[in-house]
């Protein structure tokens, strides 16, 4: 053990140097480049994967990359499948085949989160073409940047060994390897966003900082979270982690904390508003373009993001079907549509599928989704609230079971999450507030699995266990290192 601790001391000293920083950053770059290249021709097994939601829906989304890349039009696609991949080809498609132009394919662009289309651009720019587009390069770049930022943050506060062990755990976890490098989806983006925000702001927890500099970082952090939240509606939870970080920071004054919190919230909302306005303007221009070329204008509703009560409804089928809940959209539709017909007098043609048999257009290209129907969310909400009020113990039991599942299935080794409880107790007794803060800041990323649904891989969003394991290792290392120092000083 003595030799091991001495070796760790030397390695930590090396990591604290600029040379150590450079070596780690280059190692991360090379390793993740290797993963990106390798997974292009050899797939990684789905040991851990999110299967609870469609997410990005690449099978629908890729159709919008063509015109967006060449001409900047969005949402615009075509029924023609024989495309010429060039700017002139895209212009010719509009001029000569205007009747094939569409503004929606199935139900992708109408659901909001329009910034998702940007995820295709790195791959398209690299190839010089949006043919066979992929978002894996985008995922890889953001994930690698997040690891850089995370390690640099810990290096800045003189805890590079902690940062190195985090990198090691994260970069070797099957969930991130699969979701970032193999899956045409954006389920890894939540963690990447969190790592960037934590890496940028972690000095607030460990040292005194320049308030102006971190005020600027609060602006950037708010903008970044707002930007990524327009890719995936789970990502706004990172703003909660950021606000917790400001609240728990012991090295800044209360007035400064309040200012940082205000700045982050303001620029988070400003970022979202700017992006939505940007795509709303594009929608209006595209609608005129499609209309002028005799294409198929989409006149249906456009959502700013996924509905809230629909996933809550489906998620209550986590562990039983006592009140008819199930993680299956159609169950919610089959409950709500008869009520909409009876109580609200709505004329709805529905034959028990994922969509209604009604359309927004005469060409029957744009079907109506049940979630888009007026009062649908209200009916679903009333059912959920009513059942919880009538049987609160049933709901509390579900939440407890979700917490248990989150503690049990976060990484491939089960039950390790339960270490959280004794570790928090130990840290509290030792008054190790910085470590407690790190764990607390990571907890909001478990929100989906606790508040919505804990099945089909949603627990893999949780990041607290990575911090728990590294803190435990750090405490053990610290204990033996102190013993070694005492032993050397007594000689």
């Amino acid at each position: 053990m003595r030799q091991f601790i001495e070796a760790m001391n030397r390695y930590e000293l090396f990591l604290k140097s600029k040379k150590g920083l450079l070596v780690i950053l280059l190692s991360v770059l090379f390793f993740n480049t290797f993963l990106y290249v390798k997974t292009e021709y050899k797939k990684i097994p789905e040991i851990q994967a999110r299967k609870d939601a469609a997410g990005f829906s690449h099978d629908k989304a890729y159709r919008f990359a063509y015109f967006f890349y060449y001409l900047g039009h969005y949402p615009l696609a075509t029924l023609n499948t024989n495309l010429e991949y060039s700017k002139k080809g895209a212009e010719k498609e509009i001029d000569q085949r205007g009747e094939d132009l569409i503004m929606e394919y199935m139900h992708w662009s109408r659901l909001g989160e329009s910034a998702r289309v940007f995820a295709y651009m790195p791959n398209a720019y690299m190839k010089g073409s949006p043919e066979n587009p992929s978002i894996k390069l985008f995922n890889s770049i953001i994930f690698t940047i997040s690891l850089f930022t995370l390690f640099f943050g810990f290096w800045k506060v003189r805890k590079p060994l902690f940062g190195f062990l985090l990198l090691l755990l994260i970069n070797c976890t099957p969930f991130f390897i699969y979701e970032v490098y193999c899956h045409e989806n954006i389920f890894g983006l939540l963690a990447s966003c969190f790592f960037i925000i934590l890496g940028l702001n972690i000095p607030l927890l460990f040292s005194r900082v320049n308030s102006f500099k971190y005020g600027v970082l609060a602006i950037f952090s708010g903008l970044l979270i707002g930007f990524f939240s327009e890719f995936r509606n789970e990502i706004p939870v990172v703003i909660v982690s950021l606000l917790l970080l400001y609240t728990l920071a012991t090295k800044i004054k209360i007035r400064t904390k309040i200012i940082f919190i205000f700045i982050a919230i303001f620029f988070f909302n400003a970022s979202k508003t700017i992006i939505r306005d940007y795509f709303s303007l594009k929608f209006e221009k595209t609608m005129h373009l499609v209309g002028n070329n005799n294409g198929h204008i989409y006149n249906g509703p456009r959502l700013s993001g996924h509905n809230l009560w629909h996933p809550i409804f489906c998620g209550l089928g986590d562990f039983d079907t006592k009140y008819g809940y199930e993680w299956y959209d159609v169950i919610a539709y089959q409950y709500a549509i008869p009520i909409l017909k009876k109580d609200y007098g709505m004329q709805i043609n529905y034959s028990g599928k994922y969509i209604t048999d009604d359309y927004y257009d005469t060409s029957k290209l744009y079907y109506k989704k049940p979630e888009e129907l007026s009062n649908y969310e209200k009916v679903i909400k009333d059912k959920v609230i009513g059942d919880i009020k009538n049987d609160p113990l049933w709901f509390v039991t579900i939440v407890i079971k979700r917490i248990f599942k989150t503690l049990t299935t976060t990484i491939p080794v089960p039950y390790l999450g339960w270490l959280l409880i004794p570790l928090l107790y130990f840290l509290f007794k030792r008054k190790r507030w910085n470590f407690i803060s790190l764990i607390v800041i990571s907890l909001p990323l478990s929100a989906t699995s606790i508040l919505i649904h804990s099945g089909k891989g949603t627990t893999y969003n949780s990041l607290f266990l990575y911090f728990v394991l590294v803190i435990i290792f750090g405490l053990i290392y610290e204990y033996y290192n102190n013993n070694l120092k005492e032993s050397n000083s007594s000689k």
Side-chain angles (χ1 to χ4, degrees), residues 41 120 134 148 164 184 192 240 259 403 432 464:
Y41 61 88
Y120 281 128
S134 171
F148 284 171
F164 170 75
E184 291 286 356
S192 295
V240 180
I259 293 172
I403 293 171
R432 303 296 293 268
F464 69 89

Side-chain angles (χ1 to χ4, degrees), residues 15-181:
L15 289 178
K16 288 180 178 178
S17 67
K18 290 184 178 179
K19 183 178 179 181
L21 172 66
L22 181 62
V23 167
I24 294 301
L25 295 184
L26 287 175
S27 299
V28 170
L29 177 62
F30 291 146
F31 180 68
N32 285 278
T33 301
F34 165 76
L35 286 176
Y36 176 77
V37 173
K38 179 181 178 181
T39 53
E40 282 294 295
Y41 61 88
K42 185 176 181 181
K43 300 302 179 185
I44 301 296
E46 295 182 29
I47 298 173
Q48 287 187 306
R50 285 278 301 269
K51 297 181 179 179
D52 60 298
F56 188 80
S57 296
H58 171 67
D59 58 319
K60 308 176 186 71
Y62 78 93
R63 295 172 179 269
F64 296 94
Y66 178 73
F67 287 110
F68 187 74
Y69 173 78
Y70 286 121
L71 303 173
H73 297 313
Y74 182 89
L76 185 63
T78 177
L79 297 172
N80 179 29
T81 56
N82 186 24
L83 299 174
E84 177 187 333
Y85 283 88
S86 67
K87 185 175 181 180
K88 287 185 177 179
E91 291 171 343
K92 188 191 302 181
E93 197 68 30
I94 293 173
D95 294 337
Q96 298 181 6
R97 299 184 65 98
E99 69 280 1
D100 287 336
L101 296 177
I102 56 175
M103 295 180 64
E104 173 65 298
Y105 181 74
M106 298 181 73
H107 54 276
W108 194 79
S109 68
R110 72 178 86 173
L111 294 182
E113 300 167 357
S114 300
R116 291 177 294 174
V117 73
F118 288 130
Y120 281 128
M121 295 303 103
N123 177 262
Y125 287 129
M126 183 182 72
K127 297 188 305 183
S129 167
E131 188 173 10
N132 299 319
S134 171
I135 67 170
K136 289 192 288 184
L137 181 59
F138 168 82
N139 283 337
S140 305
I141 292 171
I142 301 301
F143 183 64
T144 303
I145 290 173
S146 77
L147 297 181
F148 284 171
T149 312
L150 184 65
F151 180 76
F152 183 74
F154 281 100
W155 184 83
K156 285 278 289 183
V157 297
R158 308 292 291 171
K159 293 186 179 297
L161 184 60
F162 195 103
F164 170 75
L165 293 172
L166 268 178
L167 291 191
L168 201 61
L169 274 176
I170 294 163
N171 226 169
C172 295
T173 300
F175 174 69
F176 291 118
I177 293 175
Y178 178 76
E179 292 294 351
V180 172
Y181 295 103

Side-chain angles (χ1 to χ4, degrees), residues 184-352:
E184 291 286 356
N185 224 312
I186 51 175
F187 292 132
L189 188 57
L190 173 63
S192 295
C193 181
F194 173 79
F195 295 146
I196 292 173
I197 297 303
L198 179 61
L200 291 174
N201 293 281
I202 197 169
L204 293 168
L205 293 178
F206 290 93
S207 57
R208 297 192 180 280
V209 298
N210 182 304
S211 296
F212 177 78
K213 175 183 176 181
Y214 281 87
V216 173
L217 282 177
I219 294 173
F220 178 77
S221 298
L223 290 172
L224 186 72
I225 300 169
F227 175 67
F228 283 140
S229 69
E230 291 301 304
F231 283 68
R232 177 76 181 157
N233 67 333
E234 290 176 322
I235 291 175
V237 75
V238 179
I239 195 71
V240 180
S241 292
L242 179 60
L243 300 185
L244 283 172
L245 189 151
Y246 291 147
T247 303
L248 296 171
T250 58
K251 305 296 183 180
I252 56 176
K253 298 177 181 178
I254 294 177
R255 183 179 63 182
T256 306
K257 292 182 183 184
I258 294 172
I259 293 172
F260 284 179
I261 289 171
F262 173 79
I263 289 173
I265 293 174
F266 176 82
F267 282 95
F268 166 73
N269 288 313
S271 179
K272 290 176 70 67
T273 300
I274 291 169
I275 293 167
R276 290 180 181 182
D277 289 347
Y278 170 80
F279 281 103
S280 291
L281 181 61
K282 281 196 170 293
F283 181 91
E284 296 298 325
K285 290 181 177 179
T286 301
M287 186 168 65
H288 289 298
L289 175 73
V290 172
N292 292 337
N293 287 275
N294 299 314
H296 302 273
I297 294 175
Y298 175 73
N299 285 315
R302 292 179 293 137
L303 307 179
S304 58
H306 292 302
N307 292 332
L308 172 65
W309 289 98
H310 175 81
I312 291 176
F313 179 105
C314 296
L316 288 172
D318 249 354
F319 302 100
D320 64 62
T321 56
K322 182 177 180 180
Y323 294 107
Y325 297 104
E326 188 177 337
W327 189 255
Y328 181 42
D329 292 335
V330 173
I331 297 297
Y333 303 156
Q334 290 176 346
Y335 170 80
I337 288 177
I339 295 175
L340 292 174
K341 287 181 176 181
K342 180 182 176 182
D343 295 352
Y344 295 89
M346 298 178 66
Q347 299 297 316
I348 306 169
N349 295 303
Y350 181 66
S351 53

Side-chain angles (χ1 to χ4, degrees), residues 264-438:
I265 293 174
F266 176 82
F267 282 95
F268 166 73
N269 288 313
S271 179
K272 290 176 70 67
T273 300
I274 291 169
I275 293 167
R276 290 180 181 182
D277 289 347
Y278 170 80
F279 281 103
S280 291
L281 181 61
K282 281 196 170 293
F283 181 91
E284 296 298 325
K285 290 181 177 179
T286 301
M287 186 168 65
H288 289 298
L289 175 73
V290 172
N292 292 337
N293 287 275
N294 299 314
H296 302 273
I297 294 175
Y298 175 73
N299 285 315
R302 292 179 293 137
L303 307 179
S304 58
H306 292 302
N307 292 332
L308 172 65
W309 289 98
H310 175 81
I312 291 176
F313 179 105
C314 296
L316 288 172
D318 249 354
F319 302 100
D320 64 62
T321 56
K322 182 177 180 180
Y323 294 107
Y325 297 104
E326 188 177 337
W327 189 255
Y328 181 42
D329 292 335
V330 173
I331 297 297
Y333 303 156
Q334 290 176 346
Y335 170 80
I337 288 177
I339 295 175
L340 292 174
K341 287 181 176 181
K342 180 182 176 182
D343 295 352
Y344 295 89
M346 298 178 66
Q347 299 297 316
I348 306 169
N349 295 303
Y350 181 66
S351 53
K353 301 175 293 187
Y354 275 97
I355 60 175
T356 71
D357 299 313
D358 297 318
Y359 294 83
Y360 295 113
D361 63 318
T362 55
S363 300
K364 294 190 174 182
L365 291 173
Y366 307 137
Y367 53 72
K368 295 182 179 181
K369 284 278 288 176
E371 296 100 316
E372 299 160 0
L373 300 174
S374 59
N375 296 305
Y376 173 84
E377 273 282 278
K378 183 180 183 303
V379 170
I380 292 297
K381 177 183 175 181
D382 290 346
K383 161 74 170 167
V384 171
I385 297 298
D387 287 339
I388 292 174
K389 284 183 176 180
N390 293 330
D391 194 349
L393 182 60
W394 162 77
F395 177 70
V396 170
T397 302
I398 288 176
V399 173
I400 292 172
K401 288 180 178 179
R402 287 173 177 170
I403 293 171
F404 282 11
K405 192 166 185 179
T406 301
L407 291 170
T408 303
T409 56
T410 298
I411 62 174
V413 182
Y415 302 108
L416 285 182
W418 289 95
L419 292 170
L420 171 68
I421 298 171
L423 177 62
L424 284 176
Y425 176 77
F426 178 85
L427 294 174
F428 178 79
K429 294 291 286 185
R430 295 294 191 278
K431 297 183 179 181
R432 303 296 293 268
W433 308 122
N434 290 339
F435 285 155
I436 292 175
S437 296
L438 274 177

